[in-house]
Amino acid sequence: GAGVSQSPSNKVTEKGKDVELRCDPISGHTALYWYRQSLGQGLEFLIYFQGNSAPDKSGLPSDRFSAERTGGSVSTLTIQRTQQEDSAVYLCASSYRGGGLETQYFGPGTRLLVL
Amino acid sequence: KNQVEQSPQSLIILEGKNCTLQCNYTVSPFSNLRWYKQDTGRGPVSLTIMTFSENTKSNGRYTATLDADTKQSSLHITASQLSDSASYICVVRGMDSSYKLIFGSGTRLLVRP
C-alpha cells in the first residue's frame, strides 16, 4: 500500500514568509509525528498526534510553529515568519496506534530553505 | 550532552567487506533500541528493533546487538553492497514515553566498488 507522503518535497522561501508543510500518513494509522533534521544533526522531535489531538507539542521550537491534523489523517505543519535557522528537512512519520514497540514509518521529508 | 552517541561519524569500505557501527546511549530507564537506514533524500527506514531483554537481532545481512548493562549497541553489516551506502541511525526509546524517540546523529557509510 501507499507509504507516508509529504509535500512539497522542496521549499525555498524568503525570511519572514509563512510556509505550510503537508503530511499524508499511512491509511489507518492513528499516530502521527513531526520531526526536524538539521544538517549533521539527529532527528529532533517536534509534535505527536493521536487522532486529531496533539498530546505532546513539547518539541515545537517557538510559537511560530504550529500543527494541526484533521479527519485523523492529513496533517499540516505551519511555520510563521520563517527565519534562516528554520532551514532543515522536516520529516513526518506515522504508526498504527502509537505503541512503544511500533515501527514509525517515515515520509521522504520536505527540504526547507529560508533565504 | 546527546543521549545517543554514534561512531564513527563516517566510514568508507570496499564492496563485499563487513563493517560494524557503534551506538552508546545514556537514556535511562530504557525500553527499546532501533536501527534505521536513511538513504540520501529519503526518510529513515526501520531495520531492527530490540527490547532490553534481547541481545541480538538479524535482518538479512544486518545484525544488531545490544548490551543493556553497558548501554551499547552495534550494527554489523555483512558482505556489503553498493546499496548499503546510506546513513545508519541508532534510536532509543525511554520508559517515560510510548512514542518519543531519541535519535543519534547517524553514521554515514559509503560502499565503494
PDB file of all heavy atoms in Angstrom, chain A residues 33 35 37 42-43 45 48 56 58 98-104 106-108 111, chain B residues 32 34 36 38 40-44 46 49 51 89 93 98-101 103-105:
ATOM      1  N   TYR A  33       3.666  11.842  13.682  1.00  0.00           N
ATOM      2  CA  TYR A  33       4.770  12.559  14.319  1.00  0.00           C
ATOM      3  C   TYR A  33       5.427  13.498  13.320  1.00  0.00           C
ATOM      4  O   TYR A  33       5.557  13.164  12.140  1.00  0.00           O
ATOM      5  CB  TYR A  33       5.844  11.575  14.813  1.00  0.00           C
ATOM      6  CG  TYR A  33       5.326  10.302  15.445  1.00  0.00           C
ATOM      7  CD1 TYR A  33       4.890   9.247  14.649  1.00  0.00           C
ATOM      8  CD2 TYR A  33       5.286  10.153  16.830  1.00  0.00           C
ATOM      9  CE1 TYR A  33       4.413   8.077  15.214  1.00  0.00           C
ATOM     10  CE2 TYR A  33       4.817   8.982  17.400  1.00  0.00           C
ATOM     11  CZ  TYR A  33       4.383   7.944  16.583  1.00  0.00           C
ATOM     12  OH  TYR A  33       3.907   6.783  17.143  1.00  0.00           O
ATOM     13  N   TYR A  35       9.103  15.578  12.798  1.00  0.00           N
ATOM     14  CA  TYR A  35      10.484  15.714  13.239  1.00  0.00           C
ATOM     15  C   TYR A  35      11.181  16.758  12.362  1.00  0.00           C
ATOM     16  O   TYR A  35      10.770  17.033  11.239  1.00  0.00           O
ATOM     17  CB  TYR A  35      11.254  14.398  13.095  1.00  0.00           C
ATOM     18  CG  TYR A  35      10.758  13.260  13.940  1.00  0.00           C
ATOM     19  CD1 TYR A  35       9.795  12.368  13.470  1.00  0.00           C
ATOM     20  CD2 TYR A  35      11.263  13.051  15.226  1.00  0.00           C
ATOM     21  CE1 TYR A  35       9.351  11.311  14.239  1.00  0.00           C
ATOM     22  CE2 TYR A  35      10.827  11.988  16.002  1.00  0.00           C
ATOM     23  CZ  TYR A  35       9.867  11.131  15.499  1.00  0.00           C
ATOM     24  OH  TYR A  35       9.433  10.078  16.268  1.00  0.00           O
ATOM     25  N   GLN A  37      15.176  17.659  10.936  1.00  0.00           N
ATOM     26  CA  GLN A  37      16.530  17.141  10.797  1.00  0.00           C
ATOM     27  C   GLN A  37      17.399  18.236  10.202  1.00  0.00           C
ATOM     28  O   GLN A  37      17.278  18.569   9.023  1.00  0.00           O
ATOM     29  CB  GLN A  37      16.549  15.897   9.901  1.00  0.00           C
ATOM     30  CG  GLN A  37      17.898  15.207   9.833  1.00  0.00           C
ATOM     31  CD  GLN A  37      17.828  13.892   9.059  1.00  0.00           C
ATOM     32  OE1 GLN A  37      17.036  13.738   8.123  1.00  0.00           O
ATOM     33  NE2 GLN A  37      18.642  12.916   9.456  1.00  0.00           N
ATOM     34  N   GLY A  42      20.949  14.805  14.542  1.00  0.00           N
ATOM     35  CA  GLY A  42      19.939  13.770  14.635  1.00  0.00           C
ATOM     36  C   GLY A  42      18.552  14.354  14.490  1.00  0.00           C
ATOM     37  O   GLY A  42      18.352  15.564  14.609  1.00  0.00           O
ATOM     38  N   LEU A  43      17.584  13.495  14.241  1.00  0.00           N
ATOM     39  CA  LEU A  43      16.206  13.960  14.144  1.00  0.00           C
ATOM     40  C   LEU A  43      15.750  14.519  15.488  1.00  0.00           C
ATOM     41  O   LEU A  43      16.037  13.962  16.542  1.00  0.00           O
ATOM     42  CB  LEU A  43      15.272  12.820  13.740  1.00  0.00           C
ATOM     43  CG  LEU A  43      15.132  12.554  12.247  1.00  0.00           C
ATOM     44  CD1 LEU A  43      16.384  11.918  11.683  1.00  0.00           C
ATOM     45  CD2 LEU A  43      13.915  11.695  11.979  1.00  0.00           C
ATOM     46  N   PHE A  45      12.466  15.691  17.686  1.00  0.00           N
ATOM     47  CA  PHE A  45      11.018  15.540  17.816  1.00  0.00           C
ATOM     48  C   PHE A  45      10.357  16.912  17.905  1.00  0.00           C
ATOM     49  O   PHE A  45      10.812  17.786  18.641  1.00  0.00           O
ATOM     50  CB  PHE A  45      10.704  14.723  19.066  1.00  0.00           C
ATOM     51  CG  PHE A  45       9.257  14.723  19.475  1.00  0.00           C
ATOM     52  CD1 PHE A  45       8.356  13.856  18.887  1.00  0.00           C
ATOM     53  CD2 PHE A  45       8.793  15.594  20.459  1.00  0.00           C
ATOM     54  CE1 PHE A  45       7.020  13.840  19.268  1.00  0.00           C
ATOM     55  CE2 PHE A  45       7.463  15.592  20.852  1.00  0.00           C
ATOM     56  CZ  PHE A  45       6.575  14.709  20.251  1.00  0.00           C
ATOM     57  N   TYR A  48       3.518  15.273  18.404  1.00  0.00           N
ATOM     58  CA  TYR A  48       2.900  13.952  18.270  1.00  0.00           C
ATOM     59  C   TYR A  48       1.391  14.123  18.242  1.00  0.00           C
ATOM     60  O   TYR A  48       0.826  14.833  19.085  1.00  0.00           O
ATOM     61  CB  TYR A  48       3.325  13.076  19.440  1.00  0.00           C
ATOM     62  CG  TYR A  48       2.453  11.878  19.731  1.00  0.00           C
ATOM     63  CD1 TYR A  48       2.318  10.845  18.810  1.00  0.00           C
ATOM     64  CD2 TYR A  48       1.802  11.755  20.959  1.00  0.00           C
ATOM     65  CE1 TYR A  48       1.543   9.736  19.097  1.00  0.00           C
ATOM     66  CE2 TYR A  48       1.025  10.654  21.248  1.00  0.00           C
ATOM     67  CZ  TYR A  48       0.909   9.641  20.322  1.00  0.00           C
ATOM     68  OH  TYR A  48       0.149   8.533  20.609  1.00  0.00           O
ATOM     69  N   ASP A  56       1.283  15.920  22.820  1.00  0.00           N
ATOM     70  CA  ASP A  56       2.655  16.342  23.098  1.00  0.00           C
ATOM     71  C   ASP A  56       3.128  17.293  22.012  1.00  0.00           C
ATOM     72  O   ASP A  56       3.392  16.880  20.880  1.00  0.00           O
ATOM     73  CB  ASP A  56       3.584  15.129  23.190  1.00  0.00           C
ATOM     74  CG  ASP A  56       4.967  15.492  23.709  1.00  0.00           C
ATOM     75  OD1 ASP A  56       5.305  16.701  23.728  1.00  0.00           O
ATOM     76  OD2 ASP A  56       5.711  14.572  24.079  1.00  0.00           O
ATOM     77  N   SER A  58       5.676  19.364  22.866  1.00  0.00           N
ATOM     78  CA  SER A  58       6.832  19.883  23.602  1.00  0.00           C
ATOM     79  C   SER A  58       8.033  20.200  22.731  1.00  0.00           C
ATOM     80  O   SER A  58       8.899  20.973  23.129  1.00  0.00           O
ATOM     81  CB  SER A  58       7.249  18.893  24.695  1.00  0.00           C
ATOM     82  OG  SER A  58       7.649  17.664  24.109  1.00  0.00           O
ATOM     83  N   GLY A  98       0.591   4.189  17.950  1.00  0.00           N
ATOM     84  CA  GLY A  98       1.474   4.964  18.818  1.00  0.00           C
ATOM     85  C   GLY A  98       2.055   4.142  19.946  1.00  0.00           C
ATOM     86  O   GLY A  98       2.585   4.689  20.910  1.00  0.00           O
ATOM     87  N   GLY A  99       2.001   2.833  19.852  1.00  0.00           N
ATOM     88  CA  GLY A  99       2.518   1.977  20.897  1.00  0.00           C
ATOM     89  C   GLY A  99       4.036   1.937  20.932  1.00  0.00           C
ATOM     90  O   GLY A  99       4.702   2.250  19.955  1.00  0.00           O
ATOM     91  N   GLY A 100       4.571   1.509  22.083  1.00  0.00           N
ATOM     92  CA  GLY A 100       6.005   1.596  22.312  1.00  0.00           C
ATOM     93  C   GLY A 100       6.874   0.768  21.397  1.00  0.00           C
ATOM     94  O   GLY A 100       8.025   1.120  21.150  1.00  0.00           O
ATOM     95  N   LEU A 101       6.367  -0.347  20.904  1.00  0.00           N
ATOM     96  CA  LEU A 101       7.193  -1.193  20.043  1.00  0.00           C
ATOM     97  C   LEU A 101       6.835  -1.038  18.567  1.00  0.00           C
ATOM     98  O   LEU A 101       7.364  -1.761  17.726  1.00  0.00           O
ATOM     99  CB  LEU A 101       7.049  -2.664  20.447  1.00  0.00           C
ATOM    100  CG  LEU A 101       7.789  -3.063  21.723  1.00  0.00           C
ATOM    101  CD1 LEU A 101       7.489  -4.510  22.089  1.00  0.00           C
ATOM    102  CD2 LEU A 101       9.292  -2.870  21.566  1.00  0.00           C
ATOM    103  N   GLU A 102       5.959  -0.109  18.266  1.00  0.00           N
ATOM    104  CA  GLU A 102       5.558   0.044  16.870  1.00  0.00           C
ATOM    105  C   GLU A 102       6.641   0.679  16.035  1.00  0.00           C
ATOM    106  O   GLU A 102       7.382   1.550  16.498  1.00  0.00           O
ATOM    107  CB  GLU A 102       4.294   0.919  16.791  1.00  0.00           C
ATOM    108  CG  GLU A 102       3.054   0.233  17.301  1.00  0.00           C
ATOM    109  CD  GLU A 102       1.840   1.119  17.190  1.00  0.00           C
ATOM    110  OE1 GLU A 102       1.969   2.286  16.758  1.00  0.00           O
ATOM    111  OE2 GLU A 102       0.757   0.651  17.536  1.00  0.00           O
ATOM    112  N   THR A 103       6.709   0.263  14.801  1.00  0.00           N
ATOM    113  CA  THR A 103       7.594   0.912  13.840  1.00  0.00           C
ATOM    114  C   THR A 103       6.960   2.227  13.395  1.00  0.00           C
ATOM    115  O   THR A 103       5.765   2.281  13.107  1.00  0.00           O
ATOM    116  CB  THR A 103       7.813   0.003  12.627  1.00  0.00           C
ATOM    117  OG1 THR A 103       8.489  -1.180  13.051  1.00  0.00           O
ATOM    118  CG2 THR A 103       8.643   0.697  11.556  1.00  0.00           C
ATOM    119  N   GLN A 104       7.770   3.266  13.366  1.00  0.00           N
ATOM    120  CA  GLN A 104       7.326   4.533  12.795  1.00  0.00           C
ATOM    121  C   GLN A 104       7.779   4.559  11.336  1.00  0.00           C
ATOM    122  O   GLN A 104       8.955   4.365  11.040  1.00  0.00           O
ATOM    123  CB  GLN A 104       7.912   5.714  13.571  1.00  0.00           C
ATOM    124  CG  GLN A 104       7.375   5.811  14.995  1.00  0.00           C
ATOM    125  CD  GLN A 104       7.815   7.064  15.709  1.00  0.00           C
ATOM    126  OE1 GLN A 104       8.319   8.014  15.104  1.00  0.00           O
ATOM    127  NE2 GLN A 104       7.622   7.102  17.016  1.00  0.00           N
ATOM    128  N   PHE A 106       8.385   6.587   7.986  1.00  0.00           N
ATOM    129  CA  PHE A 106       8.703   7.962   7.644  1.00  0.00           C
ATOM    130  C   PHE A 106       8.372   8.297   6.202  1.00  0.00           C
ATOM    131  O   PHE A 106       8.499   7.453   5.300  1.00  0.00           O
ATOM    132  CB  PHE A 106      10.194   8.238   7.877  1.00  0.00           C
ATOM    133  CG  PHE A 106      10.562   8.394   9.319  1.00  0.00           C
ATOM    134  CD1 PHE A 106      10.778   7.285  10.121  1.00  0.00           C
ATOM    135  CD2 PHE A 106      10.672   9.662   9.891  1.00  0.00           C
ATOM    136  CE1 PHE A 106      11.114   7.427  11.466  1.00  0.00           C
ATOM    137  CE2 PHE A 106      11.005   9.813  11.218  1.00  0.00           C
ATOM    138  CZ  PHE A 106      11.227   8.691  12.009  1.00  0.00           C
ATOM    139  N   GLY A 107       7.996   9.546   5.990  1.00  0.00           N
ATOM    140  CA  GLY A 107       7.883  10.087   4.656  1.00  0.00           C
ATOM    141  C   GLY A 107       9.239  10.539   4.158  1.00  0.00           C
ATOM    142  O   GLY A 107      10.226  10.485   4.895  1.00  0.00           O
ATOM    143  N   PRO A 108       9.312  11.016   2.919  1.00  0.00           N
ATOM    144  CA  PRO A 108      10.593  11.425   2.334  1.00  0.00           C
ATOM    145  C   PRO A 108      11.080  12.779   2.817  1.00  0.00           C
ATOM    146  O   PRO A 108      12.232  13.136   2.587  1.00  0.00           O
ATOM    147  CB  PRO A 108      10.279  11.479   0.835  1.00  0.00           C
ATOM    148  CG  PRO A 108       8.822  11.754   0.774  1.00  0.00           C
ATOM    149  CD  PRO A 108       8.214  11.072   1.960  1.00  0.00           C
ATOM    150  N   ARG A 111      12.316  19.511   2.276  1.00  0.00           N
ATOM    151  CA  ARG A 111      13.547  20.283   2.476  1.00  0.00           C
ATOM    152  C   ARG A 111      13.218  21.757   2.391  1.00  0.00           C
ATOM    153  O   ARG A 111      12.832  22.242   1.334  1.00  0.00           O
ATOM    154  CB  ARG A 111      14.580  19.895   1.414  1.00  0.00           C
ATOM    155  CG  ARG A 111      15.260  18.602   1.742  1.00  0.00           C
ATOM    156  CD  ARG A 111      15.638  17.795   0.523  1.00  0.00           C
ATOM    157  NE  ARG A 111      15.855  16.417   0.906  1.00  0.00           N
ATOM    158  CZ  ARG A 111      14.878  15.521   1.093  1.00  0.00           C
ATOM    159  NH1 ARG A 111      13.619  15.849   0.881  1.00  0.00           N
ATOM    160  NH2 ARG A 111      15.157  14.307   1.490  1.00  0.00           N
TER     161      ARG A 111
ATOM    162  N   ASN B  32      13.477   0.353  24.457  1.00  0.00           N
ATOM    163  CA  ASN B  32      13.912  -0.368  23.265  1.00  0.00           C
ATOM    164  C   ASN B  32      14.857   0.473  22.428  1.00  0.00           C
ATOM    165  O   ASN B  32      14.934   1.692  22.588  1.00  0.00           O
ATOM    166  CB  ASN B  32      12.720  -0.867  22.444  1.00  0.00           C
ATOM    167  CG  ASN B  32      11.821   0.250  21.973  1.00  0.00           C
ATOM    168  OD1 ASN B  32      12.177   1.026  21.094  1.00  0.00           O
ATOM    169  ND2 ASN B  32      10.622   0.337  22.555  1.00  0.00           N
ATOM    170  N   ARG B  34      16.390   0.941  18.350  1.00  0.00           N
ATOM    171  CA  ARG B  34      16.130   0.669  16.941  1.00  0.00           C
ATOM    172  C   ARG B  34      17.309   1.134  16.097  1.00  0.00           C
ATOM    173  O   ARG B  34      18.012   2.083  16.443  1.00  0.00           O
ATOM    174  CB  ARG B  34      14.885   1.446  16.482  1.00  0.00           C
ATOM    175  CG  ARG B  34      13.672   1.199  17.345  1.00  0.00           C
ATOM    176  CD  ARG B  34      12.762   2.415  17.443  1.00  0.00           C
ATOM    177  NE  ARG B  34      11.708   2.184  18.418  1.00  0.00           N
ATOM    178  CZ  ARG B  34      10.416   2.077  18.104  1.00  0.00           C
ATOM    179  NH1 ARG B  34      10.014   2.205  16.863  1.00  0.00           N
ATOM    180  NH2 ARG B  34       9.522   1.863  19.051  1.00  0.00           N
ATOM    181  N   TYR B  36      17.863   2.445  12.153  1.00  0.00           N
ATOM    182  CA  TYR B  36      17.208   2.874  10.931  1.00  0.00           C
ATOM    183  C   TYR B  36      18.269   3.099   9.861  1.00  0.00           C
ATOM    184  O   TYR B  36      19.396   3.502  10.158  1.00  0.00           O
ATOM    185  CB  TYR B  36      16.457   4.197  11.143  1.00  0.00           C
ATOM    186  CG  TYR B  36      15.064   4.084  11.725  1.00  0.00           C
ATOM    187  CD1 TYR B  36      14.876   3.973  13.097  1.00  0.00           C
ATOM    188  CD2 TYR B  36      13.945   4.107  10.910  1.00  0.00           C
ATOM    189  CE1 TYR B  36      13.598   3.884  13.635  1.00  0.00           C
ATOM    190  CE2 TYR B  36      12.659   4.030  11.432  1.00  0.00           C
ATOM    191  CZ  TYR B  36      12.498   3.920  12.795  1.00  0.00           C
ATOM    192  OH  TYR B  36      11.233   3.838  13.316  1.00  0.00           O
ATOM    193  N   GLN B  38      18.869   5.398   6.435  1.00  0.00           N
ATOM    194  CA  GLN B  38      18.345   6.560   5.721  1.00  0.00           C
ATOM    195  C   GLN B  38      19.156   6.803   4.455  1.00  0.00           C
ATOM    196  O   GLN B  38      20.313   7.227   4.521  1.00  0.00           O
ATOM    197  CB  GLN B  38      18.340   7.811   6.601  1.00  0.00           C
ATOM    198  CG  GLN B  38      17.678   9.017   5.940  1.00  0.00           C
ATOM    199  CD  GLN B  38      17.540  10.216   6.848  1.00  0.00           C
ATOM    200  OE1 GLN B  38      18.257  10.349   7.837  1.00  0.00           O
ATOM    201  NE2 GLN B  38      16.608  11.103   6.535  1.00  0.00           N
ATOM    202  N   THR B  40      20.055   8.843   1.026  1.00  0.00           N
ATOM    203  CA  THR B  40      20.095  10.279   0.737  1.00  0.00           C
ATOM    204  C   THR B  40      18.777  10.739   0.138  1.00  0.00           C
ATOM    205  O   THR B  40      18.281  10.137  -0.816  1.00  0.00           O
ATOM    206  CB  THR B  40      21.256  10.581  -0.211  1.00  0.00           C
ATOM    207  OG1 THR B  40      22.478  10.157   0.388  1.00  0.00           O
ATOM    208  CG2 THR B  40      21.336  12.076  -0.495  1.00  0.00           C
ATOM    209  N   GLY B  41      18.204  11.778   0.714  1.00  0.00           N
ATOM    210  CA  GLY B  41      16.969  12.325   0.187  1.00  0.00           C
ATOM    211  C   GLY B  41      15.724  11.536   0.535  1.00  0.00           C
ATOM    212  O   GLY B  41      14.647  11.810  -0.005  1.00  0.00           O
ATOM    213  N   ARG B  42      15.854  10.588   1.412  1.00  0.00           N
ATOM    214  CA  ARG B  42      14.713   9.759   1.798  1.00  0.00           C
ATOM    215  C   ARG B  42      14.498   9.816   3.305  1.00  0.00           C
ATOM    216  O   ARG B  42      15.360  10.251   4.064  1.00  0.00           O
ATOM    217  CB  ARG B  42      14.983   8.300   1.391  1.00  0.00           C
ATOM    218  CG  ARG B  42      15.115   8.081  -0.108  1.00  0.00           C
ATOM    219  CD  ARG B  42      13.753   8.141  -0.767  1.00  0.00           C
ATOM    220  NE  ARG B  42      13.683   7.602  -2.086  1.00  0.00           N
ATOM    221  CZ  ARG B  42      13.643   6.311  -2.376  1.00  0.00           C
ATOM    222  NH1 ARG B  42      13.739   5.416  -1.446  1.00  0.00           N
ATOM    223  NH2 ARG B  42      13.527   5.922  -3.617  1.00  0.00           N
ATOM    224  N   GLY B  43      13.349   9.348   3.743  1.00  0.00           N
ATOM    225  CA  GLY B  43      13.105   9.220   5.170  1.00  0.00           C
ATOM    226  C   GLY B  43      13.741   7.939   5.698  1.00  0.00           C
ATOM    227  O   GLY B  43      14.023   7.015   4.943  1.00  0.00           O
ATOM    228  N   PRO B  44      13.989   7.862   7.009  1.00  0.00           N
ATOM    229  CA  PRO B  44      14.574   6.656   7.602  1.00  0.00           C
ATOM    230  C   PRO B  44      13.650   5.447   7.468  1.00  0.00           C
ATOM    231  O   PRO B  44      12.430   5.581   7.514  1.00  0.00           O
ATOM    232  CB  PRO B  44      14.758   7.036   9.071  1.00  0.00           C
ATOM    233  CG  PRO B  44      14.701   8.529   9.117  1.00  0.00           C
ATOM    234  CD  PRO B  44      13.789   8.925   8.003  1.00  0.00           C
ATOM    235  N   SER B  46      13.098   1.504   9.058  1.00  0.00           N
ATOM    236  CA  SER B  46      13.467   0.659  10.193  1.00  0.00           C
ATOM    237  C   SER B  46      14.163  -0.614   9.748  1.00  0.00           C
ATOM    238  O   SER B  46      13.727  -1.294   8.815  1.00  0.00           O
ATOM    239  CB  SER B  46      12.195   0.315  10.988  1.00  0.00           C
ATOM    240  OG  SER B  46      12.515  -0.511  12.080  1.00  0.00           O
ATOM    241  N   ILE B  49      14.464  -3.648  15.708  1.00  0.00           N
ATOM    242  CA  ILE B  49      14.055  -3.086  16.997  1.00  0.00           C
ATOM    243  C   ILE B  49      14.302  -4.146  18.054  1.00  0.00           C
ATOM    244  O   ILE B  49      13.960  -5.317  17.847  1.00  0.00           O
ATOM    245  CB  ILE B  49      12.592  -2.612  16.989  1.00  0.00           C
ATOM    246  CG1 ILE B  49      12.188  -2.114  18.363  1.00  0.00           C
ATOM    247  CG2 ILE B  49      11.647  -3.697  16.505  1.00  0.00           C
ATOM    248  CD1 ILE B  49      10.833  -1.422  18.387  1.00  0.00           C
ATOM    249  N   THR B  51      14.190  -4.983  22.358  1.00  0.00           N
ATOM    250  CA  THR B  51      13.878  -4.586  23.722  1.00  0.00           C
ATOM    251  C   THR B  51      15.090  -4.855  24.603  1.00  0.00           C
ATOM    252  O   THR B  51      16.057  -5.496  24.174  1.00  0.00           O
ATOM    253  CB  THR B  51      12.669  -5.361  24.252  1.00  0.00           C
ATOM    254  OG1 THR B  51      13.024  -6.753  24.326  1.00  0.00           O
ATOM    255  CG2 THR B  51      11.467  -5.182  23.330  1.00  0.00           C
ATOM    256  N   ILE B  89      21.122   5.119  11.567  1.00  0.00           N
ATOM    257  CA  ILE B  89      20.755   5.909  12.735  1.00  0.00           C
ATOM    258  C   ILE B  89      20.334   4.992  13.870  1.00  0.00           C
ATOM    259  O   ILE B  89      19.501   4.096  13.684  1.00  0.00           O
ATOM    260  CB  ILE B  89      19.605   6.880  12.409  1.00  0.00           C
ATOM    261  CG1 ILE B  89      19.974   7.753  11.201  1.00  0.00           C
ATOM    262  CG2 ILE B  89      19.295   7.754  13.617  1.00  0.00           C
ATOM    263  CD1 ILE B  89      18.827   8.602  10.701  1.00  0.00           C
ATOM    264  N   ARG B  93      14.263   4.491  22.734  1.00  0.00           N
ATOM    265  CA  ARG B  93      13.056   4.963  23.427  1.00  0.00           C
ATOM    266  C   ARG B  93      13.208   4.676  24.909  1.00  0.00           C
ATOM    267  O   ARG B  93      13.533   3.559  25.303  1.00  0.00           O
ATOM    268  CB  ARG B  93      11.801   4.292  22.894  1.00  0.00           C
ATOM    269  CG  ARG B  93      10.535   4.852  23.543  1.00  0.00           C
ATOM    270  CD  ARG B  93       9.278   4.273  22.940  1.00  0.00           C
ATOM    271  NE  ARG B  93       8.966   2.952  23.453  1.00  0.00           N
ATOM    272  CZ  ARG B  93       8.468   2.698  24.662  1.00  0.00           C
ATOM    273  NH1 ARG B  93       8.235   3.688  25.508  1.00  0.00           N
ATOM    274  NH2 ARG B  93       8.188   1.458  25.022  1.00  0.00           N
ATOM    275  N   SER B  98       5.670   6.424  25.384  1.00  0.00           N
ATOM    276  CA  SER B  98       5.392   5.289  24.495  1.00  0.00           C
ATOM    277  C   SER B  98       5.756   5.614  23.060  1.00  0.00           C
ATOM    278  O   SER B  98       5.791   4.735  22.218  1.00  0.00           O
ATOM    279  CB  SER B  98       3.904   4.919  24.567  1.00  0.00           C
ATOM    280  OG  SER B  98       3.123   5.962  24.005  1.00  0.00           O
ATOM    281  N   TYR B  99       6.060   6.886  22.772  1.00  0.00           N
ATOM    282  CA  TYR B  99       6.231   7.248  21.379  1.00  0.00           C
ATOM    283  C   TYR B  99       7.469   8.093  21.104  1.00  0.00           C
ATOM    284  O   TYR B  99       7.949   8.143  19.996  1.00  0.00           O
ATOM    285  CB  TYR B  99       5.008   8.028  20.895  1.00  0.00           C
ATOM    286  CG  TYR B  99       4.718   9.234  21.757  1.00  0.00           C
ATOM    287  CD1 TYR B  99       5.357  10.440  21.517  1.00  0.00           C
ATOM    288  CD2 TYR B  99       3.837   9.162  22.818  1.00  0.00           C
ATOM    289  CE1 TYR B  99       5.128  11.534  22.313  1.00  0.00           C
ATOM    290  CE2 TYR B  99       3.605  10.251  23.624  1.00  0.00           C
ATOM    291  CZ  TYR B  99       4.249  11.435  23.379  1.00  0.00           C
ATOM    292  OH  TYR B  99       4.023  12.522  24.175  1.00  0.00           O
ATOM    293  N   LYS B 100       7.970   8.789  22.123  1.00  0.00           N
ATOM    294  CA  LYS B 100       9.047   9.741  21.853  1.00  0.00           C
ATOM    295  C   LYS B 100      10.363   9.000  21.680  1.00  0.00           C
ATOM    296  O   LYS B 100      10.798   8.262  22.557  1.00  0.00           O
ATOM    297  CB  LYS B 100       9.166  10.763  22.972  1.00  0.00           C
ATOM    298  CG  LYS B 100      10.062  11.948  22.601  1.00  0.00           C
ATOM    299  CD  LYS B 100      10.050  13.001  23.676  1.00  0.00           C
ATOM    300  CE  LYS B 100       8.729  13.733  23.737  1.00  0.00           C
ATOM    301  NZ  LYS B 100       8.746  14.855  24.694  1.00  0.00           N
ATOM    302  N   LEU B 101      10.989   9.181  20.537  1.00  0.00           N
ATOM    303  CA  LEU B 101      12.244   8.521  20.224  1.00  0.00           C
ATOM    304  C   LEU B 101      13.393   9.523  20.290  1.00  0.00           C
ATOM    305  O   LEU B 101      13.224  10.689  19.968  1.00  0.00           O
ATOM    306  CB  LEU B 101      12.183   7.911  18.823  1.00  0.00           C
ATOM    307  CG  LEU B 101      11.047   6.915  18.561  1.00  0.00           C
ATOM    308  CD1 LEU B 101      11.091   6.438  17.118  1.00  0.00           C
ATOM    309  CD2 LEU B 101      11.143   5.736  19.517  1.00  0.00           C
ATOM    310  N   PHE B 103      17.096  10.207  18.824  1.00  0.00           N
ATOM    311  CA  PHE B 103      17.884   9.814  17.667  1.00  0.00           C
ATOM    312  C   PHE B 103      19.351  10.183  17.830  1.00  0.00           C
ATOM    313  O   PHE B 103      19.676  11.274  18.306  1.00  0.00           O
ATOM    314  CB  PHE B 103      17.360  10.518  16.408  1.00  0.00           C
ATOM    315  CG  PHE B 103      16.008  10.053  15.962  1.00  0.00           C
ATOM    316  CD1 PHE B 103      14.864  10.474  16.620  1.00  0.00           C
ATOM    317  CD2 PHE B 103      15.875   9.210  14.869  1.00  0.00           C
ATOM    318  CE1 PHE B 103      13.603  10.049  16.199  1.00  0.00           C
ATOM    319  CE2 PHE B 103      14.627   8.789  14.444  1.00  0.00           C
ATOM    320  CZ  PHE B 103      13.495   9.206  15.110  1.00  0.00           C
ATOM    321  N   GLY B 104      20.223   9.266  17.402  1.00  0.00           N
ATOM    322  CA  GLY B 104      21.617   9.622  17.227  1.00  0.00           C
ATOM    323  C   GLY B 104      21.778  10.403  15.940  1.00  0.00           C
ATOM    324  O   GLY B 104      20.842  10.513  15.140  1.00  0.00           O
ATOM    325  N   SER B 105      22.959  10.966  15.749  1.00  0.00           N
ATOM    326  CA  SER B 105      23.193  11.778  14.550  1.00  0.00           C
ATOM    327  C   SER B 105      23.600  10.928  13.350  1.00  0.00           C
ATOM    328  O   SER B 105      23.755  11.445  12.250  1.00  0.00           O
ATOM    329  CB  SER B 105      24.230  12.863  14.825  1.00  0.00           C
ATOM    330  OG  SER B 105      25.409  12.286  15.320  1.00  0.00           O
TER     331      SER B 105
END
